[in-house]
Amino acid sequence: MVRIAILALGLCLTIFPAGCLIASEPEDTQDVEQAPEKQAINRTSERLLPDCKVLHGAPNTVINLREVFKGTSVDTGEPLELSVVHNTKSKIADTSFDGEQLILEWKKEGSTEITVRALNPVTQVMVDARFTGTVWQPDYLSLGLTVVGGLGIFLLGMKNMSEGLQAIAGSGLRRMISKVTDNRLMAVGVGTLVTMLVQSSSITTVMVVGFVNSGFMNLAQAIGVIMGANIGTTITGWILALKIGVYGLPMLGLGAFGYLFPRRESVRFAALAIMGLGMVFFGLELMKDGFAMVKDLPDFEAWFARFDAHSYLGVLKCAAVGCILTFIVQSSSATLGITISLATIGVIPFETAAALVLGENIGTTITAWLASFGATTNARRAAYFHVLFNLIGVAWITAIFPWYIEMIDGMFNLPFIRSLAGVEGKVGEAIDMTVRIAAVHTCFNLVNTIVFFPFAGLLGKLLERIVPQKAHKEKPHLTRLDIRMLDTPVMGIEQSRVEVLRMADGCKKMMLWLAELSQQNGEPDRRLTQKLFHREEVLDTIQDEIVGFLSDLLAANLPHDVIDEGRRQLRMADEFESISDYIASILKFQIKLNDQGHVMNDKMRQQLKHLHDTVAGYMQMVIDACIQRNSAVITKANTMRGEIKHLVRTLRKEHLQQMTDEKIEPYVNVAFTSALNSYVRVSDHTLNVAESLAGIK
């Protein structure tokens, strides 16, 4: 049996020589060509060829295999024997040779794995080069949906992060706004901090235009805040420069749980800010994935290649594209995110991205410019300053653009800057693209502010020439409470507060005019009378707008302090409107009495003057407390309210005694007692304002 087995084995070895046994290929690799019959003494497999990805319908790809295998173990200068030993799907890519060139004929969509073998016939050494060939068809719908979806999540994340930060900052943010003075340096600081919290220079500048329009802020203050807003908006780029993109989705999930389940408001809004930050990075990753397809599309690549920032005209073209894109989407943060996505995946070079960022600074000015329509002259000047600030800045930066880019690159070669950027290594090592773009944005606005700061006063005078004062006397007025403020409730509640304080100022002026009219003999001054009645109508309109604005604002998901402030303002607006009604009624009693041919005697007029001055002083005290947010005024307000009630009781007793001593016309008696009652009502509503300020329901 052993002999038979040995004989059988010898027969097999005779028929199938050793080394010539070839393993059978799988059924899906039937297109494999046979390897050379000569036995190689050494065979290696290397990734010498990059994966090849082409569009469907692309021409044949020709690969010079002599260059591919140059420097490998088979390269001795002798001609090589070349073959394709593995091609999983020849229906996708057919292979052929033209001398030492491999020709790939692309057919249908899909992917195939190809292995090219080179054999040195002298040394019998083999080297296999493996690569993947892919034929693809662009899915434009998927591209568009991915980019739009990513942009939507990015913008929603910015909104949520802004709301969370505003809720955390709360009253501190409102105090910052009220502390703006004529000191431009302080105004720049406030503008920077506020914009960093609300994550939008557009919101800050719209707010500034509204404050100037209402008379709460002058042009000098507005100029400082607007310069600071341009610096503050650059924080978005540095947030995106944080290397936490892969953690965007986990942050979103953890933030959502932290927002939905805890009961503590501070925890909920901190979680909302974290959730917003996660959405920002998740949206940015989605945009990158969507734009990744663009890099492989020749038409898109050729279109983007036309925006080359290596010439002055090219810089201007790129800046114009950035400006128009920001103008369309109304958000410089969104266009910055798009720019960073395109630059990070290599669709556009750094210089093009930098020029786009410069143009985005101009595009963001459109929001404040639109808000200035129908506003006062100073409000329009503030909006135009925002436009000029960015236009002039972009003009001189683009003029020195190559040197500006060199300055940015040179800055990142400084050791301490490189350590801050998280780059440890030799000078010249690549800096993260997002960090470089963020630096371009920040340096532009910082340098521009430094250049403009000493000349802000002169620029203000220039704006006075460009936007001259109207011929008639112009007073601050309410055109509308900007609905865009509803997206930033902390800012919106401050804008409505300004309008409530304007109502308070209107009531104070009506008291002054009433005092002047009450001391006039005969028919009161018609112009001043119409002025007082017109102011009462204006206060009615302001109250209606405040109620509508706050009703929409309070319908949103807001922190308790903003809700409480909104309710206080609603009550105050109602109280000041009622005060204006009673002031107007006192004047109506006087006019009616005069039309009937009667007048009060000197004693009555002096008594009413004393009461008027007392009530006016009481009102002034409460209004000052509202401006200063001094809730402790309630104690003194209650005391003075008691004094006024005591004074009115005294005046009534004196009036009754006077009626027994002398004859008083019934019309005069009615006018006097009605005036006393109206002053009492004015003091009652003033006390209600003090109670609202103190949080007493």
Side-chain angles (χ1 to χ4, degrees):
M1 292 295 293
V2 174
R3 290 181 178 179
I4 293 173
I6 293 173
L7 289 173
L9 177 62
L11 181 63
C12 290
L13 291 175
T14 303
I15 298 173
F16 303 106
C20 295
L21 289 171
I22 301 175
S24 62
E25 295 289 346
E27 292 183 3
D28 61 344
T29 57
Q30 296 176 359
D31 298 320
V32 175
E33 296 181 15
Q34 295 294 325
E37 293 183 357
K38 295 182 179 180
Q39 173 64 40
I41 62 173
N42 185 20
R43 186 179 70 172
T44 59
S45 180
E46 301 179 30
R47 296 289 295 185
L48 300 174
L49 284 166
D51 291 338
C52 194
K53 186 177 181 180
V54 298
L55 278 172
H56 184 265
N60 296 346
T61 299
V62 179
I63 302 174
N64 187 342
L65 294 179
R66 169 58 68 179
E67 293 296 324
V68 171
F69 291 101
K70 186 176 182 180
T72 62
S73 56
V74 296
D75 183 26
T76 59
E78 301 293 332
L80 300 176
E81 295 183 8
L82 302 170
S83 61
V84 173
V85 295
H86 190 64
N87 184 3
T88 56
K89 297 178 180 179
S90 60
K91 293 180 179 179
I92 293 173
D94 194 11
T95 59
S96 60
F97 290 94
D98 183 6
E100 293 186 336
Q101 291 183 330
L102 173 65
I103 300 174
L104 299 174
E105 183 182 354
W106 306 106
K107 296 184 177 180
K108 58 184 294 185
E109 295 176 42
S111 294
T112 179
E113 295 180 0
I114 299 174
T115 301
V116 179
R117 174 170 296 172
L119 170 66
N120 188 313
V122 177
T123 63
Q124 295 294 295
V125 174
M126 288 183 184
V127 173
D128 290 346
R130 295 178 292 107
F131 70 98
T132 300
T134 304
V135 180
W136 68 291
Q137 185 75 27
D139 187 351
Y140 294 104
L141 178 61
S142 175
L143 184 153
L145 292 178
T146 303
V147 172
V148 171
L151 181 60
I153 293 174
F154 179 91
L155 290 174
L156 186 59
M158 293 293 294
K159 181 178 182 294
N160 287 340
M161 184 167 60
S162 172
E163 287 183 1
L165 291 174
Q166 288 180 67
I168 294 169
S171 58
L173 179 59
R174 296 197 293 271
R175 282 195 296 270
M176 276 194 293
I177 298 169
S178 63
K179 294 295 182 183
V180 175
T181 65
D182 289 334
N183 185 327
R184 282 202 301 272
L185 187 60
M186 179 180 289
V188 170
V190 169
T192 302
L193 290 174
V194 169
T195 307
M196 288 172 64
L197 289 172
V198 302
Q199 291 291 301
S200 172
S201 61
S202 297
I203 291 294
T204 306
T205 49
V206 167
M207 175 200 69
V208 167
V209 171
F211 284 169
V212 174
N213 186 49
S214 300
F216 180 73
M217 189 179 288
N218 60 40
L219 182 60
Q221 294 170 329
I223 286 175
V225 175
I226 289 172
M227 288 192 291
N230 280 271
I231 298 174
T233 193
T234 64
I235 190 66
T236 304
W238 293 108
I239 291 174
L240 298 179
L242 298 173
K243 296 181 179 179
I244 56 175
V246 294
Y247 303 110
L249 198 55
M251 288 175 65
L252 195 164
L254 291 175
F257 284 115
Y259 179 71
L260 293 173
F261 297 110
R263 294 186 177 181
R264 288 185 57 186
E265 191 174 74
S266 58
V267 175
R268 291 182 71 245
F269 282 102
L272 180 64
I274 295 172
M275 180 175 68
L277 184 60
M279 294 177 75
V280 165
F281 283 105
F282 180 55
L284 191 65
E285 289 299 313
L286 285 178
M287 284 194 287
K288 288 180 182 177
D289 292 342
F291 284 129
M293 188 189 299
V294 173
K295 189 178 179 182
D296 297 320
L297 294 174
D299 292 341
F300 277 96
E301 188 176 8
W303 187 83
F304 279 109
R306 288 159 45 185
F307 299 98
D308 184 5
H310 289 89
S311 66
Y312 181 65
L313 183 60
V315 172
L316 293 181
K317 285 170 61 178
C318 294
V321 171
C323 175
I324 294 171
L325 189 60
T326 307
F327 174 82
I328 293 172
V329 302
Q330 290 283 292
S331 173
S332 59
S333 297
T335 50
L336 180 64
I338 292 172
T339 302
I340 288 175
S341 299
L342 291 171
T344 304
I345 63 176
V347 175
I348 57 175
F350 168 63
E351 291 79 9
T352 300
L356 285 170
V357 168
L358 294 180
E360 290 160 11
N361 281 274
I362 299 176
T364 194
T365 64
I366 189 65
T367 309
W369 180 66
L370 291 174
S372 69
F373 286 178
T376 60
T377 300
N378 269 343
R380 286 187 287 120
R381 288 170 180 167
Y384 294 165
F385 171 78
H386 192 209
V387 176
L388 283 177
F389 177 84
N390 287 283
L391 268 178
I392 297 174
V394 170
W396 75 266
I397 288 291
T398 53
I400 61 166
F401 188 75
W403 295 279
Y404 179 66
I405 296 300
E406 286 182 12
M407 182 199 76
I408 298 295
D409 290 336
M411 179 180 68
F412 280 112
N413 283 329
L414 298 174
F416 76 97
I417 295 292
R418 294 181 69 79
S419 62
L420 287 175
V423 178
E424 297 179 1
K426 63 181 181 179
V427 173
E429 186 179 343
I431 302 290
D432 181 73
M433 180 67 76
T434 308
V435 174
R436 296 173 74 193
I437 294 173
V440 167
H441 198 194
T442 301
C443 288
F444 165 74
N445 285 289
L446 273 176
V447 172
N448 213 25
T449 299
I450 293 171
V451 170
F452 269 81
F453 194 82
F455 306 104
L458 294 175
L459 194 57
K461 293 180 179 179
L462 175 62
L463 287 167
E464 290 175 0
R465 289 179 174 272
I466 297 174
V467 188
Q469 192 70 37
K470 293 182 179 179
H472 61 276
K473 185 177 180 181
E474 188 178 33
K475 295 184 178 179
H477 61 280
L478 174 69
T479 55
R480 67 185 182 278
L481 285 160
D482 201 300
I483 196 172
R484 283 167 289 199
M485 290 290 113
L486 297 176
D487 293 331
T488 52
V490 174
M491 309 292 275
I493 206 72
E494 189 63 25
Q495 191 184 41
S496 60
R497 176 179 176 270
V498 170
E499 301 306 328
V500 172
L501 293 179
R502 285 217 315 112
M503 292 186 71
D505 184 67
C507 291
K508 184 175 68 174
K509 288 180 178 179
M510 289 177 70
M511 287 292 283
L512 291 174
W513 298 334
L514 178 61
E516 183 179 344
L517 290 167
S518 299
Q519 297 305 308
Q520 294 177 358
N521 293 319
E523 184 180 356
D525 184 282
R526 182 173 297 178
R527 183 190 62 82
L528 194 57
T529 300
Q530 291 177 348
K531 194 174 181 180
L532 187 146
F533 288 142
H534 175 69
R535 181 55 57 94
E536 190 271 332
E537 293 175 357
V538 168
L539 293 186
D540 288 345
T541 303
I542 294 177
Q543 187 209 12
D544 291 341
E545 295 196 21
I546 290 175
V547 170
F549 180 80
L550 288 177
S551 297
D552 292 336
L553 187 73
L554 294 178
N557 181 24
L558 303 174
H560 287 309
D561 64 327
V562 175
I563 294 174
D564 292 341
E565 176 67 18
R567 290 172 177 169
R568 282 194 293 270
Q569 290 180 13
L570 283 172
R571 185 179 176 187
M572 287 181 182
D574 181 64
E575 301 299 343
F576 282 125
E577 193 277 331
S578 298
I579 289 172
S580 69
D581 288 341
Y582 283 108
I583 295 173
S585 69
I586 295 172
L587 181 58
K588 289 176 182 178
F589 289 134
Q590 294 181 9
I591 293 173
K592 186 175 181 180
L593 185 64
N594 182 73
D595 292 341
Q596 293 169 345
H598 301 287
V599 293
M600 295 182 188
N601 58 38
D602 291 341
K603 184 177 181 179
M604 290 180 181
R605 292 172 67 180
Q606 289 302 318
Q607 288 174 331
L608 287 179
K609 182 179 185 305
H610 177 53
L611 177 60
H612 178 95
D613 293 343
T614 303
V615 174
Y618 178 51
M619 184 189 299
Q620 182 65 58
M621 179 192 73
V622 174
I623 291 174
D624 289 343
C626 290
I627 295 172
Q628 299 163 8
R629 292 187 169 93
N630 178 20
S631 59
V633 73
I634 187 62
T635 303
K636 193 172 182 180
N638 280 319
T639 302
M640 288 190 66
R641 172 69 181 83
E643 294 174 356
I644 290 172
K645 291 186 76 172
H646 177 72
L647 175 60
V648 170
R649 282 196 297 268
T650 302
L651 293 177
R652 281 201 178 103
K653 288 179 181 180
E654 291 179 359
H655 179 64
L656 289 174
Q657 182 62 43
Q658 189 178 4
M659 289 177 66
T660 59
D661 294 340
E662 61 180 284
K663 182 181 179 181
I664 298 177
E665 293 290 337
Y667 295 113
V668 176
N669 178 53
V670 171
F672 183 80
T673 55
S674 297
L676 290 179
N677 292 333
S678 294
Y679 278 117
V680 170
R681 299 302 296 160
V682 169
S683 65
D684 288 342
H685 289 292
T686 303
L687 178 63
N688 291 342
V689 172
E691 288 178 348
S692 299
L693 184 63
I696 299 175
K697 298 181 180 179

